[in-house]
Amino acid sequence: MGAFAEQGRIWRLLAGHAWQQTLKWVHGGPLFRLRPQPGAPSRLLIAPQDLRTADQTNAADIYGGRFLFSGHLVETHGDSPFEIGGTHPDWQRELHGFAWLRDLRAADSRIAGQNARALVDDWMRICGRRHPIGWDVPVVTRRVMSWLAHSPFILEDGDHDFYSRFLKSLARQVRFLRKTINETQDGVERLQAALAIAAACVSMAGQGRYARQSIRRLDQELMRQILTDGGHISRNPRAIIEILADLLPVRQAFIAQGLELPETMMLSVDRMMPMMRFFRHGDGAFAHFNGMGSTPNDLVATIMAYDDARGAAPGNAPHTGYQRLTGGKSVVLVDTGKPPALAVSGNAHAGCLSFEFSSGLNRIVVNCGVSGRSNEAWRRVSRSTPAHSTATIEETSSCRFLTERPFTRWLGTPVISGPEVVPVERNDDDFGTRVSASHDGYVANFGLVHARDLRLSSDGTVLDGIDSFVLQRNPGREGYYAVRFHLHPAIKSSFLRGGTAVLLVCRDGEAWEFDAPGSELALEESIYLSDVYGHRKTMQMVIYGHARENQTVSWQFRRTASAKLTRRAIPAGVEEPVEEFQFEMPEDDGGTTEHGFSFD
């Protein structure tokens, strides 16, 4: 039945994709370009704020014709960057998204403004009607938001003809978003498109007849995508950051224009702000769950400045599927949710019951996170169960991703099967916090249910865990398991007591001891993917066993020494640069596999 159910999901997704593409062609294809365009707005009323951090040093490179986007450097040698072909798609998306306008604006010079107007004019002349990447909905969304936010900078010292062409092009792009929003990828992309449309309606004159419709659509998307506890339907912590980075300026634009704030907008912000605190460790970094990579600390700090409540982080996010345990200065974050819906699972991970553990500014146990490189092989590694601090059976993932070609060309790699039953129990008392959960992601193939019991003491000095493997039925397959604990690269690890325990030493001198009595304990190489300086070598502790011989594994983290050294002053959550670690990847055979990546 499992295989038939998976095939049914694939074909339903394929049918929905084909219908979406058809409607997208009708609404935003050649017919859109041939239709007569309504008149452009007479003027811009307001410019929403851009909360993302600028780097003015990029302005000189852009003026010199050197465009470094998404890790790819292109030198134009005097030509317009919009006329250069054969460049990487990620580079083109960033170029056509115009987010780099904030860097030119930060330079605060007359020549930077002239350069910005010239590049915007080039785009309108070369790509203003069509471009295979420049008119992708997410790219149009980012361009509209960038043009609106930086319109005072772009239009300053510009002539009337440029002003008219700029408004006409902007109105055309907003109209394209209105026509194609229903065919946009569900999730963050669709919500950001709704935010861009709402921002345009507030910012441009003469948009009254569209304002009510755009606000109503934004309300619908916020109500549907922001869960009751403030999480996002994709279960990706990064989604909250990206949505708030656009939603807060739109909210401020409404206030500046004296417009009544939609109730859903206010409620969504109030719900998401506590979740920003929920996913943060003591050093400010977000936990690496379901697509979250390195933390944009500057953007997070800017967003948190809008938090009026500034209360303690919630301990339970039942709708999003996470638990937070706190004691003393220790924090434990646990993934206790099912995979997200098929349509928004393109970046979801097979990390059910994985956890991250930190003490003060020291992150100790982590998930490998997401690589910043646009590499499909690394992406598969990061999404697999072995890349998470949880248990695996026979090195397989608890979720199965779509990998069959040519389906992936059209549908990406969503989760097509995974845990369906994930019961969770939580108990808070004077002695600490206990969370017990289990998942059935391995029942179909191995007949085993993985259960995890975590207890953090009230003073945060002891974390006890029990992993159990309950046999539901005999599938006739082996049940070898590996319980992994990926360590942060800053943690130094070494064996104690003849290899029966591991000493973990943090950079500030704080020390922890890990013990798993009666279990086979190994200390092996791992890799940390979510670092701004590239992939970093690290270590992992692994407990090996067989579910039929030893169904229960007990382990414990115990603090044995407090911090002795003064930690160097570095920004919260920012890693120190180290030499990049080259990790050998398996060859991509393009085949279908249910297996995750093994670090052995």
Side-chain angles (χ1 to χ4, degrees):
M1 285 295 292
F4 285 112
E6 287 182 7
Q7 290 297 319
R9 295 188 190 103
I10 293 172
W11 285 108
R12 285 195 298 273
L13 193 63
L14 187 62
H17 174 76
W19 179 243
Q20 267 194 339
Q21 291 302 110
T22 301
L23 291 178
K24 187 175 180 179
W25 185 87
V26 171
H27 294 149
L31 294 179
F32 172 81
R33 293 191 293 271
L34 292 174
R35 291 191 190 102
Q37 299 295 313
S42 59
R43 60 194 176 99
L44 287 172
L45 304 174
I46 192 172
Q49 187 180 2
D50 186 352
L51 298 185
R52 293 171 174 84
T53 305
D55 183 0
Q56 66 182 41
T57 60
N58 289 334
D61 287 334
I62 292 175
Y63 180 73
R66 296 180 297 275
F67 294 81
L68 178 59
F69 299 145
S70 301
H72 304 276
L73 176 63
V74 174
E75 297 193 39
T76 61
H77 302 291
D79 296 329
S80 170
F82 301 105
E83 294 178 317
I84 297 176
T87 52
H88 195 279
D90 286 349
W91 184 89
Q92 292 194 53
R93 291 186 188 97
E94 193 163 345
L95 173 70
H96 287 266
F98 279 83
W100 41 267
L101 282 173
R102 69 175 68 98
D103 299 334
L104 294 179
R105 189 177 189 180
D108 193 24
S109 67
R110 185 184 184 89
I111 196 169
Q114 292 172 344
N115 195 17
R117 279 192 299 279
L119 290 169
V120 169
D121 207 19
D122 280 350
W123 187 90
M124 292 189 295
R125 175 175 54 85
I126 300 169
C127 312
R129 298 191 66 84
R130 61 182 302 172
H131 188 275
I133 291 179
W135 281 88
D136 279 350
V137 173
V139 179
V140 177
T141 297
R142 291 265 54 88
R143 186 167 58 249
V144 167
M145 295 297 284
S146 296
W147 282 20
L148 287 172
H150 302 288
S151 56
F153 169 68
I154 299 170
L155 298 172
E156 186 179 10
D157 297 331
D159 58 29
H160 183 269
D161 180 61
F162 177 80
Y163 188 87
S164 299
R165 287 186 287 109
F166 178 82
L167 287 180
K168 184 177 180 180
S169 178
L170 189 58
R172 182 183 184 86
Q173 295 172 62
V174 174
R175 184 169 178 266
F176 175 83
L177 291 180
R178 289 196 192 102
K179 292 291 185 181
T180 59
I181 187 171
N182 292 327
E183 291 77 59
T184 306
Q185 176 67 41
D186 196 7
V188 175
E189 288 186 7
R190 189 175 296 177
L191 180 51
Q192 287 181 324
L195 283 166
I197 296 170
C201 286
V202 176
S203 303
M204 298 191 300
Q207 301 297 301
R209 64 189 181 118
Y210 299 116
R212 185 176 299 177
Q213 176 186 353
S214 65
I215 293 171
R216 183 169 61 248
R217 183 55 191 266
L218 178 58
D219 274 355
Q220 291 174 353
E221 291 301 327
L222 287 171
M223 191 177 302
R224 184 176 67 87
Q225 295 195 33
I226 307 304
L227 302 173
T228 304
D229 55 23
H232 186 253
I233 56 174
S234 67
R235 305 191 64 236
N236 185 348
R238 180 75 186 226
I240 304 172
I241 301 174
E242 296 298 328
I243 291 169
L244 281 172
D246 290 331
L247 179 58
L248 290 172
V250 173
R251 185 185 70 167
Q252 291 302 111
F254 270 80
I255 295 173
Q257 289 290 81
L259 301 175
E260 182 180 357
L261 283 176
E263 182 179 356
T264 308
M265 184 185 295
M266 294 189 295
L267 185 61
S268 297
V269 172
D270 291 342
R271 287 174 174 174
M272 283 188 283
M273 280 300 188
M275 286 300 285
M276 291 282 290
R277 298 190 297 273
F278 178 93
F279 284 113
R280 297 182 83 189
H281 287 289
D283 66 347
F286 273 53
H288 301 139
F289 295 120
N290 286 299
M292 182 67 205
S294 59
T295 303
N297 293 286
D298 47 1
L299 180 57
V300 169
T302 302
I303 292 173
M304 295 300 292
Y306 285 81
D307 185 9
D308 299 326
R310 300 182 186 274
N316 186 8
H319 299 90
T320 311
Y322 293 101
Q323 294 287 325
R324 180 184 175 96
L325 293 73
T326 56
K329 62 177 183 177
S330 296
V331 174
V332 177
L333 288 157
V334 194
D335 182 345
T336 56
K338 297 184 291 185
L342 188 65
V344 292
S345 65
N347 293 314
H349 288 196
C352 191
L353 302 194
S354 65
F355 79 101
E356 293 201 353
F357 170 45
S358 64
S359 174
L361 298 178
N362 302 307
R363 278 181 286 160
I364 300 171
V365 177
V366 295
N367 295 317
C368 292
V370 176
S371 174
R373 301 177 180 178
S374 180
N375 183 299
E376 187 58 34
W378 279 120
R379 187 168 178 265
R380 288 201 310 273
V381 169
S382 65
R383 299 179 73 191
S384 67
T385 302
H388 296 76
S389 293
T390 186
T392 60
I393 307 295
E394 297 292 336
E395 302 296 351
T396 64
S397 288
S398 58
C399 294
R400 178 169 140 73
F401 307 102
L402 177 62
T403 57
E404 291 91 341
R405 295 176 179 173
F407 294 125
T408 55
R409 178 182 175 184
W410 305 310
L411 307 178
T413 54
V415 176
I416 55 176
S417 66
E420 297 180 358
V421 180
V422 188
V424 183
E425 292 184 8
R426 182 187 178 101
N427 181 43
D428 295 273
D429 55 35
D430 294 338
F431 300 100
T433 303
R434 178 183 178 183
V435 170
S436 301
S438 64
H439 77 80
D440 61 347
Y442 288 117
V443 170
N445 291 329
F446 302 99
L448 292 170
V449 169
H450 173 215
R452 171 162 276 182
D453 190 307
L454 298 175
R455 184 178 184 89
L456 180 66
S457 63
S458 58
D459 61 1
T461 60
V462 178
L463 172 62
D464 289 298
I466 300 175
D467 285 291
S468 304
F469 305 92
V470 183
L471 188 65
Q472 296 289 310
R473 58 181 179 82
N474 189 350
R477 299 178 65 176
E478 295 292 340
Y480 289 100
Y481 60 76
V483 184
R484 287 187 163 83
F485 305 85
H486 295 279
L487 301 176
H488 189 272
I491 303 300
K492 304 301 181 184
S493 56
S494 58
F495 277 121
L496 291 174
R497 298 194 293 275
T500 59
V502 177
L503 175 65
L504 307 173
V505 181
C506 306
R507 283 186 292 194
D508 59 6
E510 182 174 289
W512 291 76
E513 186 177 303
F514 177 80
D515 191 15
S519 299
E520 179 186 348
L521 181 59
L523 196 56
E524 302 174 354
E525 284 190 344
S526 180
I527 187 167
Y528 183 68
L529 300 173
S530 292
D531 189 79
V532 294
Y533 298 104
H535 302 165
R536 295 177 64 182
K537 180 179 178 179
T538 186
M539 301 298 291
Q540 60 176 320
M541 301 179 298
V542 189
I543 301 173
Y544 291 104
H546 195 291
R548 297 181 184 178
E549 299 173 0
N550 189 8
Q551 293 185 344
T552 302
V553 177
S554 299
W555 46 267
Q556 182 186 79
F557 288 87
R558 181 169 56 88
R559 192 168 71 203
T560 57
S562 299
K564 302 293 184 184
L565 304 177
T566 301
R567 186 175 176 134
R568 281 172 34 190
I570 58 176
V574 176
E575 301 301 335
E576 298 181 52
V578 296
E579 183 177 353
E580 184 172 327
F581 173 60
Q582 299 296 329
F583 201 85
E584 185 177 353
M585 280 294 305
E587 293 184 2
D588 180 10
D589 58 4
T592 302
T593 177
E594 62 179 319
H595 292 268
F597 179 74
S598 172
F599 293 92
D600 300 342

